Amino acid sequence: MSGTTARELRSIFTGFFAERDHTVVSSASLIPYDPTLLFTVAGMVPFKAYFTGTEPSPYKRATTVQKCVRAGGKQNDLDEIGRTRRHLSFFEMLGNFSFGDYFKDDAIAWAWELSTERLGFDPDRLWITVHLSDDEAADIWRDAVGVPAERIQRLDEDNFWRMGDTGPCGPCSEIFFDKGEAYGPGGGPAHGGDERYVEFWNLVFMQFEQQTDGSMVPLPKPSIDTGAGLERVLTLLQGVDSVFEIDEMARLVAKASELSGVRLGEGESSDVSLRIHAQHARTKAFLIGDGVLPSKNPRGHVLRRIMRRAIRHAYLLGVNSVVTPLLVDEVVDIMGHDYPELLGNHAFVRDVTEREEVRFRETLGRGSVLLDEALAGLEAGEPLGGGVTFLLHDTYGFPFEVTEEIARERGVELDSEGFEAELSQQRRRAREDFAARSTDAGDLSVYLEVLDEFGETEFVGRDRDESTGRVLAVTESGVVLDRTPFYAEAGGQIGDTGHLYLDGGEEALAVSDTTYVVAGLHLHHVEGAVGRLRPGQSVRAVIDGRRRAGIRRHHTGTHILHWALREVLGTHVKQQGSLVAPDRLRFDFSHYSGLSGEDIAAIEDVANAEILANPTCRHYETSMEEAKAAGAIAFFGDKYSDTVRVLEAGPNSIELCGGTHVRALGDIGPLKIISEGSIGSNIRRLEAVCGDIPIQRLRHTESRLAEAAGVLGVPPEDVVEGAGRWAGELKALRDEVKQLRRKAAGDRAGELAAAADDGLVVARIDGVDRNELRDLAVTVRDRDGVTGVVLATAPASGGVAFVSAVVPGAGWHASDLLGDALKLVGGGGGRNPDFATAGGKDATRLDEALDLVRRAAASQRTAG
């Protein structure tokens, strides 16, 4: 076999299928559009909607090298990373796909040709598995390809693929490489070990539809989904036993060794740490590059755990300096050629990585302190509680086995059952969250039938507010038309509202919202449409034009704001979400610190200067490749096909967007940021307004300013100075009141001190708050002849307040004086021998409580 490199393998695979009329599709984001998945976990994930038929495929054949992550949810290999030869959190999946075009004959023949002729696998060492029922595939392998029958084995469930409980499914066929007798007993994949027989390519034949009753019916257009793990294929091509020995991974392991000063092979535990460093460097670089940031949301939590796991292993290797950004540099140097988006995001990925390591190194120190304190507080033979262990595991990133090892070194066992109970609760919550995200949105069959028969809704609302349309479907949820000026909610822009006028008359049905019920099909949300509308009927669809105009201004304003943010803060800024409404816009973006007043002013100035220049906007369709070549930026959360819409909002902002927009930037009007804040770790949110709304806000502010000026008795332009004078006078009056209170307190303190019984003052003081009671007690205590004082009050805010202050060494215990009294009023407080404050609930028993204080004092005298 050859010594093919990773870069060569990517090119060979996609080039082979491109020669066979496959469209080479760039890797999709690691953030999937499937809401049931945290990450893209397989090559077919970006094409799921094409296989299920909910979206039409823009091509009949495709080939990809898809970046994937399995590190959370149902697909979670995280704890195995570094400890086995094969497990990876980030990996690449080679795949070729047919959407109702070719089927088993070509898929099998091409897989064999590529494996044996292009990649150089010895045909005599390849084994094939097929499903028990798939005679067709077995015949093709034997008769058309020429694989001996004895190297074709039948398996059951291992060779049958299902998308879910219902939906597309079918048998699959796998190709295995026999590594030889040194790796275990023979017998083929069905009987031998998986160390000897290594599966490297899976061909899925989607030919059935799984029904709810368990039956399967043939699909009208069978499809092909194949997947070959790039790293696993490379271990075979390069003749190595571990994915960490293939060319690109070996470079990363070597870099981790260089940075730590620990050589591979010095010890099993250090080897695990080096491998974890190498693999997690890839995972975090690609996740951050695709817009995932360390945070508390599900994706961010997984990323943070990955990053912290790598940092902890640097700690274990004895590395005391920040090291993970240097491994990111190596990832970019190795893989940036094949993933140009990684090159473009290099500085931002590096910065996020460095910040997280600096923070977690501090957390790691605190976690170690927590574990030390927990261990030190245990009695002899007492196990470390499961709650503490789980807290370390979940919050501080300490894996269970590390806590266990440290504890055993100190002769302490762990409460494993308690830990597992906590972990089970967390997993239960995760399953419930997964189930909630998997819930079906309803029966879509009627809409899919409409889509299949009539095609997508024709949207004509970019340059008109009304049109005539034909009713295609009427349901309790709403109305589907063949053409409409109503924009369906997408890309952050809310859906249009308006009216449907029946049969050209004045009778109208109100449209409260417009959404996509399935891809390409607009659903007009109308109450009471059933019985009043019927399929085939003609209606006049009219949107709320004034509302749409506000939406246009704010949508184009969002693009200008995005550009201005990148101009002022840096190109690491990326959209993380948005809302475009007629009266405001909301923009979420990645940035690692809050914005100062100067930052906001600069952003507004840059944006408004661009708007005032009033360049024209160009909104047009083009291919995805041409859009990328023009430098267009994709907006977060939007899904794009091969044909995309590009918005050139003036000369500087070029972004992909299918929304509705103004014709020239001047139509936006002034743009004003009205709020800024954090919505998560490294995620900021801005809200802004455009058009006449800033003017309305300005008028309101001027009106309120005039009112304030009237109250202060100054002109509006002198409000600040006037308020300053009032504030000064108010402070002087408060100071005067404070002096009077101090004098009154002094007088009262003298009266109370004079009434001391054997040096102790016990009294109820009405009309004071808690702070005044405290100050008075201290003043009384410091009078001659007083050795202790207990004062109580019933504040206007409710409840009871006590203060006990004694002279140290005088024989009183401040807290003990209050003990029985607090029980009587339903309260409690701190334990301090010289000074104690406490509170209670029942003010009606305050006088009885003070009698109990006097009894406690008598007891202390007797004891003394």
Side-chain angles (χ1 to χ4, degrees), residues 414-749:
L414 299 189
D415 175 13
S416 301
E417 292 183 2
F419 173 79
E420 288 298 331
E422 295 275 2
L423 196 60
S424 295
Q425 288 186 26
Q426 185 192 56
R427 287 170 177 163
R428 175 183 54 77
R429 291 191 295 268
R431 286 194 299 270
E432 290 172 354
D433 174 66
F434 180 82
R437 288 187 283 115
S438 303
T439 300
D440 193 357
D443 183 10
L444 302 180
S445 58
V446 63
Y447 304 112
L448 292 172
E449 289 173 7
V450 169
L451 184 65
D452 186 55
E453 182 175 355
F454 299 103
E456 298 182 358
T457 304
E458 181 187 357
F459 176 59
V460 297
R462 298 196 186 280
D463 52 8
R464 66 179 78 172
D465 290 351
E466 66 175 86
S467 70
T468 300
R470 181 163 59 98
V471 177
L472 301 181
V474 183
T475 70
E476 293 293 343
S477 300
V479 179
V480 178
L481 305 177
D482 63 342
R483 65 201 306 262
T484 183
F486 284 77
Y487 182 85
E489 180 180 349
Q493 179 174 327
I494 63 176
D496 279 328
T497 63
H499 292 86
L500 301 182
Y501 291 89
L502 281 59
D503 296 318
E506 294 304 315
E507 184 183 359
L509 296 175
V511 178
S512 61
D513 195 7
T514 312
T515 59
Y516 282 110
V517 64
V518 294
L521 213 60
H522 293 220
L523 180 69
H524 306 76
H525 293 244
V526 177
E527 286 190 14
V530 176
R532 299 180 67 187
L533 286 177
R534 64 185 184 280
Q537 190 173 358
S538 177
V539 297
R540 183 164 60 94
V542 183
I543 67 171
D544 182 336
R546 182 177 178 83
R547 182 175 181 273
R548 166 72 79 77
I551 291 171
R552 277 197 297 262
R553 284 192 291 269
H554 285 93
H555 201 157
T556 311
T558 299
H559 288 254
I560 293 302
L561 180 62
H562 189 194
W563 167 76
L565 283 164
R566 291 168 65 88
E567 285 290 298
V568 175
L569 303 180
T571 56
H572 66 274
V573 167
K574 287 186 178 180
Q575 183 187 3
Q576 298 296 314
S578 69
L579 171 70
V580 178
D583 58 348
R584 66 190 174 101
L585 69 87
R586 187 179 72 214
F587 191 79
D588 302 338
F589 61 98
S590 52
H591 190 57
Y592 37 76
S593 62
L595 304 190
S596 66
E598 291 79 7
D599 289 335
I600 291 175
I603 293 162
E604 289 178 337
D605 289 346
V606 169
N608 283 302
E610 190 80 350
I611 291 168
L612 284 171
N614 197 31
T616 58
C617 295
R618 183 174 171 234
H619 202 195
Y620 60 94
E621 284 192 352
T622 186
S623 70
M624 187 64 171
E625 292 303 316
E626 290 179 357
K628 287 181 178 178
I633 299 173
F635 262 33
F636 177 85
D638 286 1
K639 190 168 185 179
Y640 306 103
S641 61
D642 257 7
T643 301
V644 296
R645 290 195 71 84
V646 175
L647 174 69
E648 293 181 1
N652 296 309
S653 173
I654 306 176
E655 297 179 321
L656 302 183
C657 185
T660 59
H661 294 278
V662 299
R663 290 185 172 86
L665 292 190
D667 296 341
I668 297 172
L671 184 149
K672 176 64 180 171
I673 295 171
I674 60 174
S675 70
E676 187 275 340
S678 171
I679 60 168
S681 180
N682 298 313
I683 306 291
R684 311 298 300 179
R685 170 171 288 176
L686 287 180
E687 291 202 10
V689 291
C690 302
D692 61 348
I693 298 175
I695 306 301
Q696 295 172 15
R697 290 178 61 88
L698 178 60
R699 285 176 182 158
H700 177 73
T701 301
E702 288 180 337
S703 174
R704 297 292 289 168
L705 180 64
E707 290 178 27
V711 171
L712 294 171
V714 297
E717 58 270 21
D718 294 336
V719 162
V720 174
E721 291 80 3
R725 285 194 296 272
W726 275 85
E729 292 173 9
L730 182 60
K731 182 178 183 300
L733 290 171
R734 284 176 173 167
D735 289 343
E736 185 177 345
V737 169
K738 189 180 294 184
Q739 291 296 328
L740 291 172
R741 283 180 174 172
R742 284 177 182 166
K743 184 177 183 304
D747 294 342
R748 181 177 287 186

Side-chain angles (χ1 to χ4, degrees), residues 78-223:
L78 187 57
D79 291 335
E80 299 300 319
I81 307 304
R83 304 184 185 282
T84 71
R85 296 176 177 182
R86 297 182 185 175
H87 282 93
L88 297 169
S89 51
F90 174 89
F91 60 97
E92 297 168 85
M93 189 62 73
L94 308 166
N96 60 288
F97 308 90
S98 165
F99 308 105
D101 187 27
Y102 65 85
F103 200 47
K104 293 181 185 178
D105 290 281
D106 287 334
I108 290 172
W110 289 338
W112 185 262
E113 181 183 353
L114 177 56
S115 298
T116 58
E117 297 182 18
R118 295 292 180 91
L119 298 180
F121 283 107
D122 182 352
D124 294 333
R125 298 177 70 177
L126 297 182
W127 288 70
I128 308 298
T129 62
V130 298
H131 188 253
L132 290 172
S133 65
D134 199 356
D135 295 334
E136 181 185 8
D139 291 345
I140 295 170
W141 282 114
R142 184 186 64 245
D143 301 334
V145 174
V147 179
E150 60 270 19
R151 292 213 309 275
I152 302 173
Q153 296 184 325
R154 305 264 185 157
L155 297 175
D156 194 1
E157 284 300 308
D158 284 347
N159 276 106
F160 199 92
W161 182 90
R162 291 178 175 84
M163 187 172 288
D165 293 335
T166 60
C169 61
C172 59
S173 182
E174 296 175 307
I175 308 177
F176 291 78
F177 179 76
D178 180 3
K179 294 177 70 173
E181 294 180 0
Y183 292 88
H191 308 291
D194 59 6
E195 286 297 324
R196 173 168 178 173
Y197 297 98
V198 178
E199 179 266 316
F200 66 89
W201 202 342
N202 186 14
L203 317 179
V204 176
F205 310 125
M206 293 190 196
Q207 62 187 97
F208 300 112
E209 176 86 16
Q210 180 91 37
Q211 305 296 301
T212 54
D213 62 2
S215 63
M216 291 184 291
V217 298
L219 286 171
K221 294 182 178 180
S223 298

